[in-house]
Structures are given as structure tokens and as C-alpha cells.
Amino acid sequence: QVQLVESGGGLVQAGGSLRLSCAASGSTFKIKTMGWYRQVPGKQRDLVAAITSGSATNYEDYADSVKGRFTISIDHAKNTVYLQMNSLKAEDTAVYYCHAGLWGTGDYWGVGTQVTVSS
């Protein structure tokens, strides 16, 4: 079992910044990839950013809509993944979910944190 606890959401003005955190606990050795997804009412949950730890470097993946504005990072010592969100836009408003993909099959989700960007 893996538990994911998100924090850092809130209300911010357009152009501002927020940093989301997601702390993993439990069987963290099973985690291959961690990332963030977001969802607005009536739409599917979409990938925002993901990070996969390699032997010498981390591999990052971003949605086109956030490239150059958002940065994902990971602190292995704390089993925590971060999403630094800069130059926020109204269209970034969503519930953001932390995701952990396991080696082999299976994944886990956090409960989500609301990000609201006022224009």
C-alpha cells in the first residue's frame, strides 16, 4: 500500500505562483513514477507533469499547456514530489491530484487539492 498526501493548493491571482507537495508513505519502494494530474468538472483527468527516477537522472514529462511555467521535482529522502507552478492562468484552475505509478502494475491517487486562479 502507498499513501499520498497532497498540500499547497489554494487561491491565487493570475500571474502568481503556487507550490504543490505530495508526500508518499508506505511501500514507497514500489513507486516508479510520480506525477500530478488535474481535473475540472465534467472533463477527464489530464496529466500535468510526471517524473520518473532513473539511475543517473530523472525523466520529466509535461503537458504542453504548462511547459515553461510548471516544474516538477522530487526529494527522494522525503519521498515527496513537488509541482512549482508559476505564471498561473485562470485556465489552470482545477483539482490537482497526486499520482504514483508502481513498477509492474497498479497505481495510487491522492484525494486532490483545489487550485483556483482568479483573473
Side-chain angles (χ1 to χ4, degrees):
Q1 289 280 355
V2 173
Q3 295 79 42
L4 302 173
V5 178
E6 301 129 329
S7 61
L11 174 64
V12 64
Q13 288 188 332
S17 299
L18 281 175
R19 189 176 81 155
L20 305 183
S21 301
C22 174
S25 61
S27 301
T28 57
F29 64 93
K30 295 182 178 180
I31 298 174
K32 176 183 179 181
T33 299
M34 292 191 73
W36 293 92
Y37 287 70
R38 66 187 182 187
Q39 187 172 26
V40 297
K43 294 193 175 182
Q44 68 180 21
R45 192 173 295 184
D46 292 325
L47 174 70
V48 176
I51 188 165
T52 301
S53 298
S55 58
T57 188
N58 296 324
Y59 300 94
E60 300 171 14
D61 188 24
Y62 295 94
D64 288 342
S65 60
V66 306
K67 285 180 180 177
R69 300 188 298 121
F70 291 11
T71 302
I72 192 169
S73 60
I74 191 165
D75 184 334
H76 291 288
K78 296 181 179 180
N79 291 316
T80 298
V81 65
Y82 303 96
L83 184 68
Q84 178 66 44
M85 305 185 294
N86 299 328
S87 302
L88 282 161
K89 305 175 181 179
E91 50 263 44
D92 294 318
T93 295
V95 178
Y96 284 69
Y97 294 91
C98 182
H99 175 262
L102 306 184
W103 292 99
T105 60
D107 60 359
Y108 290 88
W109 293 92
V111 298
T113 185
Q114 176 71 45
V115 171
T116 302
V117 183
S118 62
S119 57

